[in-house]
């Protein structure tokens, strides 16, 4: 099942989340870069008025980024939209799998699905007000109804490949990426701090030298630390690794599912597990 088959509400929230994520990290990166440039210009300490003007402009740019990040809070919009998208995705997989609360007759299940989508909108009005994509899109596509009408074996296989395996691959891949990124980031942080210490010691030996980039490396170390905290490489690596192990156990238990009721229970347990990891991360971000 492709993303285009999901309700328009999911696709719109998903796109908004990705857009807000890009805006957040772009603004944070520009903010860090401008502060670093301003510090380097202070170290060079050029007597020319033009240099002072450039430095003032750079600092104004950094101030603008600070205001943008503090007032508009794109990180909150990012996670709030992601929470909405994941909630709708969970509902959709329950619906097409005939899992609770959609194990009833098709007409009743469709009505219940619409009610759940309506409730999701009402509970996330601040996010929904900013959604601009797929406003005329279909909420319950023909593909969803076709999958719901498929045999138990077809629904089992669809859920295995489209949901469980997909989630496992995503979490396992992200865990590996964040673990590697964490190692590299800590390596850069240690190297930058070592350079700062080295230049500080060198200044003791050569106190009359005109320029020492110690302050610039101290600022760079702080910038690297800020970026690491924003990305949370270590925390995400541990969280995603735990989720991947849990999903792997869920995947193995699918072999025991043979009839409708156990499948409905299995989907419910699996979706609860998927939602739990995401909900915990949302809570850590104070959304």
């Amino acid at each position: 099942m492709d993303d285009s088959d999901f309700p328009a509400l999911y696709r719109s929230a998903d796109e908004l989340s990705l857009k807000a994520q890009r805006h957040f990290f772009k603004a944070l990166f520009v903010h860090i870069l401008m502060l670093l440039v301003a510090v380097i210009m202070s170290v060079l300490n050029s007597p020319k008025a033009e240099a002072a003007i450039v430095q003032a402009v750079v600092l104004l740019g950094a101030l603008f980024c600070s205001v943008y990040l503090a007032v508009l809070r794109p990180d909150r919009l990012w996670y709030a939209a992601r929470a909405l998208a994941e909630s709708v995705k969970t509902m959709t997989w329950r619906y097409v799998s005939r899992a609770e609360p959609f194990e009833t007759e098709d007409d009743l299940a469709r009505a219940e699905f619409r009610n759940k989508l309506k409730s999701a909108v009402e509970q996330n009005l601040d996010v929904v007000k900013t959604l601009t994509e797929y406003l005329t899109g279909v909420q319950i596509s023909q593909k969803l109804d076709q999958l719901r009408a498929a045999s138990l074996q077809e629904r089992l296989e669809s859920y295995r490949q489209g949901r469980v395996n997909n989630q496992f691959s995503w979490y396992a891949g992200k865990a590996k990426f964040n673990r590697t990124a964490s190692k590299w980031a800590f390596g850069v942080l240690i190297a930058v701090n070592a350079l700062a210490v080295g230049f500080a010691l060198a200044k003791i030996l050569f106190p009359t030298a005109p320029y020492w980039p110690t302050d610039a490396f101290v600022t760079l170390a702080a910038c690297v630390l800020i970026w690491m905290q924003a990305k949370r490489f270590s925390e995400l690596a541990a969280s995603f690794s735990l989720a991947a192990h849990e999903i792997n156990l869920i995947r193995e238990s699918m072999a025991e599912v043979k009839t409708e009721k156990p499948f409905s229970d299995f989907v419910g347990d699996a979706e609860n597990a998927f939602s739990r990891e995401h909900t915990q991360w949302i809570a850590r971000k104070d959304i």
Side-chain angles (χ1 to χ4, degrees), residues 23-274:
H23 288 172
F24 171 73
F25 282 115
K26 282 181 180 179
L28 181 61
F29 179 80
V30 172
H31 180 250
I32 290 173
L33 182 61
M34 286 185 171
L35 288 177
L36 184 59
V37 170
V39 170
I40 291 174
M41 294 186 71
S42 291
V43 171
L44 295 176
N45 195 25
S46 174
K48 295 182 179 179
E50 292 82 356
I53 294 173
V54 171
Q55 187 179 40
V57 171
V58 169
L59 288 173
L60 281 174
L63 177 61
F64 175 80
C65 289
S66 298
V67 172
Y68 171 76
L69 290 170
V71 176
L72 296 184
R73 293 301 303 270
D75 55 329
R76 286 196 172 187
L77 183 59
W78 160 22
Y79 276 90
R82 176 52 51 201
L84 175 59
E86 293 301 323
S87 176
V88 174
K89 178 176 275 191
T90 287
M91 284 184 232
T92 304
W93 277 110
R94 286 178 180 269
Y95 174 76
V96 300
S97 301
R98 292 182 174 270
E100 194 276 331
F102 307 113
E103 70 271 47
T104 56
E105 296 296 326
D106 289 344
D107 289 342
L108 293 176
R110 284 174 66 88
E112 179 65 15
F113 190 26
R114 289 194 180 96
N115 287 334
K116 292 289 186 182
L117 292 175
K118 182 179 178 181
S119 296
V121 169
E122 293 171 349
Q123 294 168 10
N124 297 272
L125 290 177
D126 290 342
V127 177
V128 174
K129 288 176 183 178
T130 63
L131 301 180
T132 57
E133 302 296 330
Y134 310 107
L135 295 180
T136 60
V138 176
Q139 299 296 346
I140 305 179
S141 66
Q142 186 178 5
K143 176 69 174 180
L144 298 185
D145 284 334
Q146 288 175 349
L147 185 55
R148 177 179 169 82
S151 66
L152 173 61
Q153 191 58 41
E154 289 174 320
R155 281 181 281 124
L156 262 168
E157 189 58 26
S158 176
Y159 192 75
R160 184 200 314 276
Q161 297 297 333
R163 187 57 164 162
V164 179
N165 288 351
N166 177 273
Q167 288 289 96
F168 175 77
S169 298
W170 191 90
Y171 279 110
K174 288 294 183 178
K176 182 178 180 180
F177 169 82
N178 280 281
R179 191 175 297 111
T180 301
S182 177
K183 292 178 180 178
W184 276 99
F186 272 112
V188 171
L189 181 62
I190 291 171
V192 172
N193 274 298
L195 286 171
V197 171
F199 281 115
L201 294 175
K203 187 176 181 180
I204 297 174
L205 299 176
F206 306 99
T208 58
Y211 300 113
W212 286 105
T214 308
D215 292 344
F217 279 101
V218 170
T219 304
L220 180 58
C223 291
V224 172
L225 188 59
I226 291 171
W227 189 255
M228 289 171 61
Q229 290 177 337
K231 285 288 189 177
R232 300 195 177 188
F233 295 123
S234 297
E235 188 175 352
L236 283 175
S239 177
F240 289 161
S241 180
L242 180 62
H245 284 297
E246 186 174 6
I247 294 170
N248 199 30
L249 292 173
I250 291 172
R251 184 168 59 172
E252 291 181 0
S253 67
M254 284 195 78
E256 303 169 8
V257 178
K258 303 294 183 183
T259 57
E260 289 285 356
K261 183 60 170 65
F263 181 47
S264 175
D265 293 340
F266 172 82
V267 171
D269 292 341
E271 291 302 325
N272 287 338
F274 298 151

